[in-house]
Amino acid sequence: MKEDAEFNQLRSSHRKGRTKAKSCHTCNSSSSRARKVKCDETFPACRRCVSTGRTCGGFGVWGGGSCHAVVSRHVAAEPPSSVSLLKTTPEDKYYFEWFKCRTSRKVPGMFVLNFWSTLVFQASLSEPAVLHAVLTFSSIHKDGDTYRKGDGSPDKQEQLMLAHYSKAISHLKPHFSSKDRSSVRVALIACVLFVSVEVFRGHFKTAQAHLLNGLKVLSEMQYPFAVDSTGILLLQSSLNRTDDWILEMFSRLQMQLALFNQSIQCRGINLPYCKLESMPPKFRSFNEAWQGLERVFNRVLHLANHSQQKPPLSSTSPNALLELQQRIKSELAQWLCTYESSREGPEGLRGVFIPRLEEFTFQVLCTYHTMANIMVDSCLSSDDESIFDSLTEQFIVLIRLSVKNWNIRLSDRDFEVVTGPQSRSVMDIGWIPPLYYTALKCRVHRLRLQAVKFLEYSPHREGIWDGPIAACVARKVMEIEERDFYDDIDTADDFEISSAPGVGDLSLPTLPQSYRISGIKVDLPDGPTDNFFLSYKRKQGYGGWEEVTQEFNAIRRHWTEVKTKRAKA
């Protein structure tokens, strides 16, 4: 197959090079490099650090080194060419190399994340739990959803995957009983891999359980905190790179839950990680740009949560909420100015290496910025769905950005190298959440229908976001709301999906308030063939509310209303 041929070519190219030893963390610091200090690469603590009385940062994933003879582990700055520290079979080595050449490059999506490019490989060299978690994930990514036979029983490939999964959990048991920081790091690295495995298997409830357990562990660890100007508790960047990379991954995953309206399950486990102390004059990479935007998103969610409290929090006055709203809008404007100026000059933004994919990434982050603006403009009117009618211009911007990205996907073969053809799913943000948000909140027929169509052409997953499920829910919400309203009107639904909406496309009458629903929640499935549930609230003529739950049968592909509860005004 073409995919296997590409993999074997990548595999051969990696074997030509050898991993070189690198400086210890201390000698590799910017200050040491400025003084032209050269590390002698002596394990476990380099002699240059020891002779000058400095603390050697060590070579290992967990730090170490110091001035004394402590055990340290070798750090491979690049993925290792083979698994040499643990006993493995040829089949295991094959899947490890698949992870190195394919999985670790695809799952970060648009970003270059040290968790996937460095940390996982460092840990797998000496930690059996992480190695077997890597092999489990690699097996899932390589073979996709092809495991089960017609009778539903696991075949040889799935048995292999389950065997590695079991071994990973078994090797984690000593780390669970130990409370030292290095054991906790091993457990957290494995946790991210377990979340990824379950997401790729379509076991979303299990993935959420793994994630919430990991967030709970993180919340109990002693990390440096700070309170920002809006009252949000922020985890600060630590002195240990390993901790920063772990925190970054969990912050990304938690943000996915929050954007999917699952944040209520994370109460008491808030993890707004902040590596950027303030908005820099320029972003050096797409990853840094997202970190800045993610921090503002946390403010938006914080504001929305405060405004929805029933009764309102005594410490939060309406004027204070309005002031916070204006401050967030100002920060969003500052972010966009910094983001656009970061593309100028020879340095530009870095993070991906294919020109068209860089353009795609730039546009996607712009859609998130637009969505954040819509969210902050509407979050103080959470009970009034008509507020979104005043934000149509921003929804138009979001759809036009998505059209540009759609055309990039169609026109550039290089884009397919990163996102497909096999296993297009990633474990980071993509274009699904802004499209889903538009389909649910924008009541301009053409705009929301185009968002739904884009989702229906997105068969991949972006972390907890499943394209087919998002498309199915979005289509159902549109049908529930519009019902018979456009029956006697030519809605011109046969438009080209690659075309941006024009003035004539926006001339249809606005959907009345009485047709709209709110409080949309989705109970995700825990298996590819499991049913899932959609819940929402609908206002009644007598002033009360009707709470409805519908079930989607994943096998028969149809919806059934399973529960209706009426409440007085």
Side-chain angles (χ1 to χ4, degrees):
M1 294 191 332
K2 181 182 177 182
E3 183 83 356
D4 285 319
E6 290 177 355
F7 165 57
N8 288 329
Q9 186 175 5
L10 279 169
R11 195 179 177 192
S12 299
S13 65
H14 273 276
R15 284 174 173 170
K16 292 177 182 178
R18 295 183 179 273
T19 303
K20 297 180 180 179
K22 300 296 179 181
S23 301
C24 71
H25 296 332
T26 304
C27 292
N28 198 40
S29 66
S30 57
S31 59
S32 295
R33 290 198 305 271
R35 298 195 312 269
K36 298 183 179 181
V37 172
K38 185 177 180 181
C39 181
D40 64 10
E41 300 170 4
T42 303
F43 291 87
C46 82
R47 294 192 187 97
R48 183 171 293 278
C49 287
V50 173
S51 64
T52 57
R54 290 180 296 171
T55 298
C56 179
F59 301 81
V61 181
W62 321 127
S66 78
C67 296
H68 310 287
V70 296
V71 177
S72 180
R73 299 182 176 100
H74 175 62
V75 170
E78 300 175 356
S81 57
S82 63
V83 186
S84 58
L85 301 185
L86 297 169
K87 184 178 180 181
T88 54
T89 66
E91 190 173 38
D92 291 344
K93 290 181 179 179
Y94 175 84
Y95 278 105
F96 186 86
E97 292 202 18
W98 178 273
F99 184 89
K100 175 183 67 178
C101 297
R102 307 297 291 185
T103 309
S104 65
R105 296 184 174 197
K106 285 189 177 181
V107 293
M110 301 176 293
F111 301 101
V112 176
L113 298 177
N114 285 309
F115 180 90
W116 295 110
S117 64
T118 304
L119 183 57
V120 168
F121 294 101
Q122 292 176 345
S124 64
L125 284 173
S126 55
E127 297 295 343
V130 176
L131 175 64
H132 287 292
V134 162
L135 295 176
T136 304
F137 190 20
S138 178
S139 174
I140 289 288
H141 183 259
K142 168 70 171 68
D143 299 296
D145 194 23
T146 60
Y147 288 128
R148 293 191 177 275
K149 302 175 184 176
D151 59 2
S153 61
D155 65 6
K156 182 180 178 182
Q157 286 301 108
E158 186 170 13
Q159 290 172 5
L160 172 69
M161 181 274 295
L162 293 174
H164 283 301
Y165 209 158
S166 178
K167 289 178 182 178
I169 294 173
S170 177
H171 285 295
L172 275 179
K173 289 180 180 178
H175 295 292
F176 290 147
S177 59
S178 174
K179 299 297 182 181
D180 67 275
R181 207 169 184 85
S182 63
S183 287
V184 172
R185 288 169 180 149
V186 174
L188 290 173
I189 294 170
C191 180
V192 172
L193 289 164
F194 289 161
V195 171
S196 305
V197 165
E198 298 301 350
V199 163
F200 272 57
R201 296 177 76 195
H203 294 187
F204 298 107
K205 285 186 178 179
T206 304
Q208 287 184 52
H210 282 311
L211 176 56
L212 292 176
N213 285 334
L215 289 170
K216 184 177 180 181
V217 171
L218 276 173
S219 68
E220 294 170 352
M221 293 181 70
Q222 295 182 348
Y223 283 109
F225 286 92
V227 179
D228 75 356
S229 58
T230 61
I232 299 179
L233 197 65
L234 295 170
L235 282 171
Q236 296 294 294
S237 178
S238 71
L239 297 177
N240 188 293
R241 294 182 302 173
T242 299
D243 289 340
D244 279 347
W245 298 341
I246 291 173
L247 285 169
E248 182 179 42
M249 273 306 306
F250 275 97
S251 185
R252 295 286 182 92
L253 293 173
Q254 189 193 36
M255 177 61 71
Q256 291 179 15
L257 277 182
L259 292 178
F260 197 66
N261 291 328
Q262 302 289 320
S263 56
I264 189 171
Q265 300 182 34
C266 299
R267 279 182 183 169
I269 316 175
N270 196 23
L271 190 71
Y273 167 61
C274 175
K275 194 172 182 179
L276 298 173
E277 300 297 331
S278 59
M279 203 74 74
K282 282 194 176 184
F283 297 123
R284 294 169 297 178
S285 66
F286 287 112
N287 201 38
E288 191 174 88
W290 170 250
Q291 288 172 356
L293 187 57
E294 183 182 37
R295 184 176 178 180
V296 184
F297 255 115
N298 278 309
R299 286 171 167 75
V300 176
L301 296 170
H302 176 75
L303 175 61
N305 186 47
H306 271 58
S307 65
Q308 292 170 11
Q309 295 293 327
K310 305 293 183 184
L313 296 178
S314 58
S315 60
T316 308
S317 67
N319 287 338
L321 292 178
L322 286 170
E323 183 182 341
L324 179 55
Q325 183 187 46
Q326 292 303 314
R327 204 179 312 166
I328 293 172
K329 292 175 71 172
S330 175
E331 287 191 354
L332 283 169
Q334 182 186 356
W335 181 91
L336 183 61
C337 182
T338 301
Y339 188 51
E340 290 178 337
S341 66
S342 298
R343 301 191 80 190
E344 301 171 359
E347 295 298 321
L349 279 166
R350 293 290 178 265
V352 289
F353 308 103
I354 299 171
R356 294 289 281 174
L357 183 53
E358 286 189 357
E359 183 63 26
F360 180 89
T361 304
F362 183 84
Q363 302 292 351
V364 166
L365 290 189
C366 286
T367 65
Y368 275 89
H369 174 266
T370 305
M371 180 171 71
N373 270 303
I374 297 171
M375 290 172 69
V376 75
D377 282 336
S378 61
C379 66
L380 296 186
S381 306
S382 57
D383 293 332
D384 181 13
E385 289 294 315
S386 65
I387 185 65
F388 295 100
D389 297 344
S390 64
L391 304 172
T392 297
E393 288 299 321
Q394 295 189 59
F395 281 118
I396 293 173
V397 171
L398 197 153
I399 289 298
R400 286 178 174 169
L401 288 168
S402 298
V403 168
K404 289 181 181 179
N405 278 338
W406 173 260
N407 290 327
I408 290 173
R409 290 165 68 104
L410 290 181
S411 65
D412 203 311
R413 290 185 60 190
D414 285 339
F415 190 88
E416 190 74 0
V417 173
V418 177
T419 61
Q422 183 152 346
S423 189
R424 301 163 188 241
S425 301
V426 297
M427 283 305 299
D428 213 320
I429 65 165
W431 79 336
I432 292 178
L435 291 170
Y436 180 81
Y437 185 79
T438 301
L440 265 54
K441 296 300 183 181
C442 178
R443 271 64 177 214
V444 178
H445 177 79
R446 162 61 192 264
L447 298 179
R448 81 184 314 184
L449 180 58
Q450 191 156 6
V452 171
K453 287 186 176 183
F454 279 137
L455 289 172
E456 289 173 340
Y457 280 100
S458 303
H460 64 286
R461 292 177 182 137
E462 296 168 4
I464 206 73
W465 289 82
D466 180 87
I469 291 177
C472 185
V473 171
R475 174 70 73 170
K476 183 62 177 177
V477 168
M478 186 175 69
E479 291 174 355
I480 291 170
E481 287 199 330
E482 295 187 351
R483 302 198 295 277
D484 57 353
F485 186 73
Y486 294 111
D487 281 358
D488 299 326
I489 302 174
D490 181 12
T491 54
D493 290 350
D494 57 346
F495 59 85
E496 289 288 335
I497 193 174
S498 59
S499 63
V503 177
D505 298 317
L506 310 176
S507 60
L508 292 178
T510 304
L511 194 69
Q513 180 74 2
S514 59
Y515 276 68
R516 305 184 186 193
I517 64 177
S518 61
I520 296 169
K521 297 179 182 177
V522 179
D523 187 8
L524 290 170
D526 203 30
T529 59
D530 286 2
N531 297 352
F532 60 89
F533 298 85
L534 165 66
S535 301
Y536 56 89
K537 293 195 303 180
R538 181 164 52 202
K539 208 162 191 177
Q540 298 300 292
Y542 56 83
W545 289 91
E546 184 179 63
E547 296 182 6
V548 181
T549 300
Q550 296 206 21
E551 180 180 11
F552 182 77
N553 189 304
I555 297 177
R556 296 181 180 178
R557 309 295 298 173
H558 74 82
W559 290 93
T560 305
E561 190 168 310
V562 295
K563 183 180 178 182
T564 302
K565 179 183 177 182
R566 290 176 175 83
K568 295 181 180 180

